[in-house]
Amino acid sequence: MNNQLYIQEIQALFEDIQKSKIFEDQKTMTDAVPLFPISEINEKYENEKKAEGFDLKGFVLSNFDFLGTKISIHREKQLPIKEHIEKLWDELTRTAYEAKGTLLKLPKPYIVPGGRFNEFFYWDSYFIMLGLQVSGRVEMMESIVENCSYLIQTVGFVPNASRTHFLSRSQPPYFSLMLDLLFETTGNKEIYTQYHDTLEKEYAFWMDGEEGLEKDSSSKRVIKTKEGDILNRYYDAENTPRPESYMIDVEDSENASGEEFYRNIRSGCESGWDFSSRWFADGETIQTIETLNLSEVDLNCLLWHLEKTLVKSSGLQGLSEKESYFTLRAENRKQAIGTYFWDGYIYKDYHTKKYTTTASEHIGTLYPLFLGLASEEQAEIIAKTITEKFLYQGGLVTTTKKTIQQWDFPNAWAPYQWLGFQGMKKYGFDELAEKIKNNWCANVERVYDNTGKLMEKYNALDTETVAGGGEYPNQDGFGWTNGVYLKLKQN
């Protein structure tokens, strides 16, 4: 089956399945594998659905394979946490040498996050690699990088995850950081030249639409401000309900206040933050989502790192024109990050219609510290803001606003514990770095002692409670938690 989404080929059946809510999780159907040719299933459905007493769920179960749609981890006895994680690496390893259903073909093995997430995820994989480094699993680290490169070379970018219905969006661009991590692990500088073409292709994807862009306008993932500066935003090529959350999107759209509701939803997914008050015009409800109006501090910092990596890979090959070009791009972006995102006490996102920073206080403020873009003075102010507004008994929260969304207060997610720890260490705030590390690791250990599980996210405020919120229950596995926990404990 090619990259044509088979969901489109069974559109009538798929919509009927999702609307009937025969599965508790709408992702279940997107991950199913057809047992017969699509044309045959469609024909059977058209013939049988009119019959009296037709059982839709029975029809689906007899025509699709649901094996592997969810990962369950079982242990006869509870192991020490690090031993448990070492076993998890093997249990979360997958291969997809052939495309099957919506699953994209990949040339190398990879680690999946766990729970309902049984495919390769882009930014998750960087944080998984942190733990693989500690575990000495260099070959798997190299495989992850090779899979990303394969996707960039064949699709043009790394999709959100390795499913056909994610071919309209990416995730935070961590490929250049993956190369840094691999270089740190192996000492092999040639990886930068080996993947130079891949770095350029990913950069071209994020900058597509820049050419000919007028001031105070946007195209795809590129924004040109009214001052003429270039920034980036998260974006999705489609403006339809997400197949994996079909009815959730349809129902949420009924009272939506803005235009392109579905594209705004999907663009929020490209950020990895699905969802947060960070994206909402009213700071409260998903119906006011306006991701497309925002340029995000995290994305622009990651693209600065990509530009700097292209400076390095160009220099190593003696490509002086390219080295000069990317040096200028990186310098311009660094200046723009300071101009558009700094809000005096925190970095925020920039609202491209209101020409000011947004109201949302969020943990994306860590990126300029993590990547060394902040001044010493800014870092000192951020450290104070983090201490006063974000650090709790169970780790760093993602925003200061409590909502029903999973990327809001009081949830603590693994990636930002690592960014916080590293960012504070980089600027000499060692005591704060240790507190971030110890608070979150103790929370992970407590939940593991009580449940035998490593979770997708944690409650930073009430360490007696497992984290909640969002479109699905908290997941067990869990790739990036395993990776960040091992890496923090090593430091």
Side-chain angles (χ1 to χ4, degrees):
M1 190 173 296
N2 63 19
N3 280 344
Q4 281 301 307
L5 180 56
Y6 90 76
I7 290 170
Q8 292 172 346
E9 295 167 17
I10 57 163
Q11 192 65 39
L13 171 59
F14 180 79
E15 287 187 11
D16 289 348
I17 293 165
Q18 299 298 58
K19 286 175 181 175
S20 69
K21 300 183 182 179
I22 58 176
F23 298 112
E24 190 178 337
D25 186 345
Q26 295 221 314
K27 188 178 186 293
T28 303
M29 191 58 210
T30 66
D31 296 358
V33 178
L35 294 170
F36 310 103
I38 295 298
S39 57
E40 192 179 311
I41 294 174
N42 277 335
E43 189 177 347
K44 275 195 286 185
Y45 181 59
E46 288 305 313
N47 291 336
E48 294 178 24
K49 70 178 182 180
K50 302 180 185 88
E52 193 177 337
F54 173 69
D55 177 13
L56 178 58
K57 188 167 187 177
F59 177 86
V60 172
L61 293 175
S62 63
N63 284 280
F64 293 88
D65 181 1
F66 291 87
L67 288 174
T69 54
K70 187 170 172 59
I71 301 163
S72 295
I73 308 293
H74 297 292
R75 295 268 188 270
E76 287 183 16
K77 62 176 183 177
Q78 193 159 321
L79 301 169
I81 188 168
K82 288 183 181 177
E83 207 175 312
H84 176 74
I85 292 172
E86 289 301 331
K87 285 189 175 292
L88 278 174
W89 291 142
D90 296 323
E91 291 162 354
L92 296 175
T93 296
R94 296 289 181 275
T95 57
Y97 299 132
E98 294 179 10
K100 189 179 288 188
T102 58
L103 196 63
L104 295 173
K105 170 185 172 181
L106 288 173
K108 300 285 185 179
Y110 51 92
I111 307 282
V112 300
R116 73 202 280 266
F117 303 111
N118 201 12
E119 55 274 299
F120 179 88
F121 274 80
Y122 184 11
W123 79 312
D124 293 63
S125 294
Y126 171 77
F127 298 97
I128 287 168
M129 283 175 68
L130 293 172
L132 294 173
Q133 183 193 50
V134 176
S135 297
R137 298 186 181 227
V138 182
E139 190 176 345
M140 181 58 83
M141 293 174 71
E142 291 170 338
S143 292
I144 288 170
V145 167
E146 189 59 29
N147 283 330
C148 287
S149 180
Y150 169 80
L151 288 164
I152 292 166
Q153 292 292 344
T154 55
V155 178
F157 61 99
V158 185
N160 182 152
S162 59
R163 298 268 178 196
T164 54
H165 50 281
F166 292 131
L167 288 170
S168 58
R169 66 174 178 267
S170 186
Q171 269 195 333
Y174 266 85
F175 182 71
S176 58
L177 279 157
M178 289 178 178
L179 295 188
D180 281 357
L181 192 57
L182 201 52
F183 170 65
E184 179 192 304
T185 309
T186 64
N188 179 15
K189 230 177 192 177
E190 288 180 9
I191 57 164
Y192 293 109
T193 55
Q194 180 185 345
Y195 291 109
H196 172 80
D197 184 50
T198 304
L199 290 163
E200 280 196 309
K201 272 197 168 70
E202 181 169 48
Y203 189 66
F205 165 77
W206 286 96
M207 302 312 296
D208 184 28
E210 178 186 9
E211 196 174 338
L213 197 58
E214 295 181 359
K215 288 182 180 180
D216 201 14
S217 65
S218 58
S219 176
K220 299 179 183 175
R221 292 166 178 82
V222 188
I223 290 161
K224 185 176 266 192
T225 67
K226 60 186 175 72
E227 293 82 10
D229 296 310
I230 295 294
L231 297 171
N232 285 79
R233 65 175 180 175
Y234 292 114
Y235 178 84
D236 188 298
E238 299 289 334
N239 186 33
T240 55
R242 293 168 296 155
E244 73 278 14
S245 301
Y246 186 86
M247 281 311 296
I248 294 171
D249 286 357
V250 169
E251 288 166 4
D252 282 342
S253 73
E254 288 170 6
N255 298 308
S257 57
E259 296 177 3
E260 294 194 295
F261 174 79
Y262 296 129
R263 199 191 306 277
N264 274 294
I265 283 284
R266 287 165 164 268
S267 301
C269 291
E270 185 168 77
S271 76
W273 286 47
D274 41 351
F275 290 101
S276 168
S277 57
R278 177 183 181 183
W279 312 126
F280 305 161
D282 67 358
E284 299 286 346
T285 54
I286 201 164
Q287 284 78 11
T288 68
I289 192 166
E290 58 168 354
T291 322
L292 294 169
N293 289 337
L294 311 179
S295 178
E296 296 85 1
V297 61
D298 48 356
L299 175 58
N300 283 278
C301 288
L302 288 167
L303 289 173
W304 173 85
H305 185 272
L306 175 51
E307 288 160 347
K308 291 293 283 184
T309 307
L310 279 161
V311 171
K312 186 185 299 180
S313 63
S314 299
L316 286 168
Q317 297 173 92
L319 303 171
S320 55
E321 280 189 30
K322 285 187 176 182
E323 187 179 4
S324 298
Y325 173 77
F326 288 113
T327 297
L328 181 60
R329 297 306 302 249
E331 285 172 358
N332 288 343
R333 194 180 296 272
K334 182 176 181 178
Q335 191 171 352
I337 287 167
T339 300
Y340 292 97
F341 302 114
W342 178 244
D343 197 30
Y345 71 105
I346 193 172
Y347 286 94
K348 292 181 175 179
D349 298 324
Y350 179 72
H351 199 294
T352 63
K353 305 296 185 196
K354 297 178 179 176
Y355 312 116
T356 185
T357 49
T358 58
S360 177
E361 297 172 333
H362 62 76
I363 202 67
T365 190
L366 290 172
Y367 274 89
L369 278 72
F370 174 65
L371 294 173
L373 279 160
S375 68
E376 296 291 336
E377 184 186 1
Q378 286 170 324
E380 193 170 341
I381 294 167
I382 290 289
K384 187 170 184 287
T385 302
I386 290 294
T387 304
E388 292 176 355
K389 288 177 173 280
F390 290 89
L391 183 57
Y392 287 83
Q393 184 183 347
L396 293 170
V397 294
T398 44
T399 71
T400 56
K401 193 168 189 69
K402 184 174 174 59
T403 69
I404 60 169
Q405 303 301 330
Q406 62 175 352
W407 284 89
D408 274 330
F409 184 91
N411 288 344
W413 293 76
Y416 291 94
Q417 316 310 312
W418 177 245
L419 268 59
F421 176 80
Q422 279 289 90
M424 294 310 154
K425 292 285 276 190
K426 186 166 282 190
Y427 286 87
F429 300 105
D430 292 353
E431 192 177 327
L432 178 53
E434 286 300 309
K435 197 167 185 184
I436 291 167
K437 164 188 162 178
N438 293 334
N439 286 18
W440 184 75
C441 286
N443 199 0
V444 171
E445 290 158 1
R446 175 193 59 79
V447 171
Y448 180 71
D449 288 344
N450 290 343
T451 67
K453 296 179 179 183
L454 285 134
M455 309 302 284
E456 180 188 20
K457 57 186 179 284
Y458 292 84
N459 188 315
L461 184 60
D462 178 3
T463 55
E464 297 304 311
T465 305
V466 173
E471 295 179 342
Y472 55 86
N474 202 351
Q475 300 297 302
D476 171 29
F478 195 85
W480 61 19
T481 298
N482 309 340
V484 170
Y485 176 81
L486 287 183
K487 188 67 175 169
L488 283 173
K489 294 299 279 190
Q490 183 194 53
N491 280 269

